[in-house]
Amino acid sequence: MQSQIQTTQVSIAQSLDLQPVASAPAVSRVRVDHQEVLKVEGERFVHLKGSFDWQLPRDSVRVDSAFDLYLQRGSHGEGWSLARPAASNGGEAQRWLLYPLGLPTS
């Protein structure tokens, strides 16, 4: 979840021409409500939906947020990547942006 939050913060900061937030949020109480394996255009993804609590450093407010994310395992089983659909033009096949997470596969 921290990687997804940080990736989102960086994307927002870039689109607003701001410096990204340097500190990572504290994540707790991750709850997975739905899990499925999907095959999209020959690519295999694990689709997860649920919720989690997070809190920024030096902030007393804890936020409960939903998540809907896609993960892809490396082709040789070497790790996982966060997969985000990229914008596509009408008839093009769906493209995915992959962000390596550095998570072990076992």
Side-chain angles (χ1 to χ4, degrees), residues 61-76:
V61 177
R62 180 172 293 150
V63 181
D64 182 25
S65 297
F67 67 85
D68 184 7
L69 58 90
Y70 297 85
L71 300 173
Q72 185 178 52
R73 191 173 188 170
S75 58
H76 301 291

Side-chain angles (χ1 to χ4, degrees), residues 1 5 9 25-31 50-57 59-67:
M1 295 305 134
I5 293 169
Q9 287 177 334
V27 174
S28 61
R29 289 185 15 132
V30 177
R31 289 132 359 240
S51 58
F52 65 100
D53 294 345
W54 63 280
Q55 185 174 9
L56 292 173
D59 191 344
S60 62
V61 177
R62 180 172 293 150
V63 181
D64 182 25
S65 297
F67 67 85

Side-chain angles (χ1 to χ4, degrees), residues 8-21:
T8 302
Q9 287 177 334
V10 168
S11 295
I12 291 170
Q14 287 174 343
S15 67
L16 297 174
D17 200 24
L18 300 172
Q19 291 295 321
V21 176

